């Protein structure tokens, strides 16, 4: 049986930005859409360099495309308190994506990093019941199945302990390190900070309460079951792993299942490992990732 999802269909339009070939939100635009979904605590701009490169590679062929970066629910410029009375689930995140794409054709490619890969997979699954003739090409960038990694919980704990009064970005980064976070993570989190227009104090570029409510969804999601469904319907899926990300070693059973799926669908499902990359594969080894993209038709 196919994995199924139920949703209240409460819709919101996400903040989004086009990259690459000039595009707009008008229906009927002939460019293909390549959709990019960021990871937890991030925003669409995290994937902007990657999106530009992928669009440029794709536009060397006969079809022209435009990249679409979304700030997902409770993140970046979609962090506007609009969801405070709504239950935050992966389903509601998918509703947001559908609402944002409402006037446009289905993307020809969906590429998601980490949590964005979880949503990318579930979004493609949501298209199985539609009349669309073909499914988007799906790229999952270091998207580890199963429950959220313990490191995410440590980050959330540290984030909630910050008092922004009279703090600079560097003060916040230093304090996050004192709470046990790696310097690179602390600096990245500090880079997401925004200034409140009224209080002039710094604030996170994400809604901590939304993120906390989403945490149980990681374990609830039947990643392998959903992947089986989309492969059975002919989808092309590329899973790119960071060779230095130890989280992959925590789920040997799921790794076995993924390997079995790759053997069952050798022309649809591919797994690639970038040995020198950690979780941020598109930053740690962008050339290696782009080589894989260039070797295959991305859309």
């Amino acid at each position: 049986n196919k994995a199924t999802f139920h949703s209240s269909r409460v819709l919101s339009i996400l903040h989004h930005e086009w990259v690459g070939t000039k595009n707009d939100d008008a229906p009927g635009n002939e460019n293909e859409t390549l959709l990019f979904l960021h990871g937890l605590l991030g925003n669409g701009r995290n994937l902007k360099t990657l999106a530009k490169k992928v669009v440029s590679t794709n536009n060397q062929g006969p079809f022209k495309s435009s990249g679409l970066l979304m700030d997902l629910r409770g993140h970046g410029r979609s962090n506007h308190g609009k969801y405070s009375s709504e239950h935050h689930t992966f389903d509601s995140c998918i509703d947001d994506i559908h609402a944002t794409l409402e006037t446009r054709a289905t993307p020809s490619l969906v590429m998601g990093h980490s949590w964005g890969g979880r949503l990318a997979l579930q979004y493609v699954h949501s298209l199985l019941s539609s009349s669309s003739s073909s499914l988007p090409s799906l790229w999952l960038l270091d998207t580890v199945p199963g429950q959220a990694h313990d490191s995410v919980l440590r980050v959330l704990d540290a984030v909630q302990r910050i008092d922004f009064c009279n703090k600079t970005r560097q003060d916040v980064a230093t304090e996050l390190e004192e709470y046990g976070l790696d310097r690179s993570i602390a600096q990245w989190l500090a880079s997401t900070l925004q200034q409140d227009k009224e209080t002039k104090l710094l604030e996170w570029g994400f809604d901590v309460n939304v993120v906390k409510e989403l945490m149980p969804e990681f374990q609830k999601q039947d990643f392998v079951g959903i992947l089986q469904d989309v492969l059975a319907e002919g989808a092309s899926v590329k899973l790119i792993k960071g060779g230095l990300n130890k989280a992959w070693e925590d789920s040997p059973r799921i790794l076995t299942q993924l390997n079995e799926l790759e053997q069952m669908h050798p022309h649809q499902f591919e797994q690639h490992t970038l040995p020198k990359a950690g979780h941020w594969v598109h930053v740690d080894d962008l050339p290696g990732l782009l080589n894989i993209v260039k070797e295959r038709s991305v859309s």
Side-chain angles (χ1 to χ4, degrees):
N1 293 333
K2 290 183 178 179
T4 57
F5 304 97
H6 303 280
S7 170
S8 60
R9 300 299 296 179
V10 179
L11 303 180
S12 298
I13 302 297
L14 299 172
H15 183 276
H16 54 281
E17 176 184 355
W18 293 102
V19 299
T21 306
K22 183 175 176 60
N23 210 335
D24 54 45
D25 292 311
N29 191 299
E30 295 180 358
N31 289 344
E32 293 182 345
T33 298
L34 312 184
L35 176 61
F36 297 84
L37 304 177
H38 64 81
L40 205 65
L41 309 184
N43 57 64
R45 288 171 293 177
N46 297 153
L47 301 179
K48 192 167 186 176
T49 298
L50 170 65
K52 287 181 176 179
K53 298 284 188 182
V54 173
V55 168
S56 176
T57 297
N58 199 58
N59 284 350
Q60 294 173 10
F63 301 105
K64 299 306 176 185
S65 59
S66 301
L68 180 58
L69 302 168
M70 287 187 182
D71 285 356
L72 295 166
R73 164 179 297 239
H75 290 72
R77 286 163 286 184
S78 296
N79 175 21
H80 40 50
K82 196 173 182 178
Y83 317 107
S84 58
S85 63
E86 189 182 336
H87 189 50
H88 304 295
T89 65
F90 283 7
D91 279 348
S92 58
C93 292
I94 302 307
D95 286 343
D96 294 340
I97 295 171
H98 279 294
T100 307
L101 291 169
E102 188 172 17
T103 61
R104 304 195 59 79
T106 300
S108 57
L109 169 142
V110 185
M111 183 176 285
H113 172 243
S114 193
W115 172 55
R118 298 285 199 113
L119 298 186
L121 176 61
Q122 195 155 318
Y123 167 73
V124 172
H125 187 276
S126 73
L127 299 173
L128 297 185
S129 59
S130 72
S131 58
S132 177
S133 58
S134 61
L135 295 172
S137 172
L138 180 59
W139 289 70
L140 310 177
L141 307 184
D142 209 56
T143 300
V144 183
Q147 66 183 23
H149 196 264
D150 289 344
S151 60
V152 178
L153 301 178
R154 290 196 297 270
V155 168
L156 279 179
D157 178 65
V159 160
Q160 293 175 88
R161 296 167 70 179
I162 298 293
D163 179 358
F164 288 113
C165 187
N166 298 320
K167 297 280 177 63
T168 65
R169 281 182 170 79
Q170 188 53 53
D171 291 336
V172 172
T174 300
E175 193 169 340
L176 289 171
E177 285 189 66
E178 292 172 354
Y179 292 144
L181 300 189
D182 291 339
R183 175 166 296 182
S184 60
I185 297 296
Q187 294 286 350
W188 175 72
L189 285 168
S191 74
T192 72
L193 291 169
Q194 304 170 349
Q195 188 177 58
D196 185 277
K197 292 181 179 178
E198 295 181 4
T199 67
K200 304 302 181 183
L201 295 176
L202 293 173
E203 60 181 10
W204 295 115
F206 48 84
D207 187 325
V208 175
N209 291 323
V210 171
V211 175
K212 287 170 64 177
E213 194 170 333
L214 287 169
M215 295 308 290
E217 293 288 294
F218 284 82
Q219 189 164 9
K220 290 179 183 177
Q221 187 187 50
D222 180 11
F223 185 96
V224 174
I226 303 170
L227 181 57
Q228 287 176 320
D229 286 351
V230 300
L231 290 172
E233 296 296 326
S236 170
V237 184
K238 309 289 189 298
L239 174 58
I240 313 297
K241 303 175 185 175
L244 300 180
N245 184 4
K246 301 302 181 184
W248 287 105
E249 301 173 3
D250 297 338
S251 306
R253 183 179 63 85
I254 291 178
L255 284 176
T256 298
Q257 292 175 317
L258 293 175
N259 291 336
E260 290 173 349
L261 281 177
E262 189 173 27
Q263 292 174 357
M264 291 171 58
H265 303 275
H267 302 296
Q268 292 172 247
F269 181 43
E270 299 177 16
Q271 299 182 86
H272 300 270
T273 299
L274 296 174
K276 298 179 181 180
H279 182 53
W280 291 76
V281 292
H282 56 291
V283 176
D284 297 340
D285 190 4
L286 179 57
L289 175 57
L290 291 174
N291 283 338
I292 298 173
V293 171
K294 289 175 182 177
E295 289 169 1
R296 286 147 184 86
S297 175
V298 296
S299 64

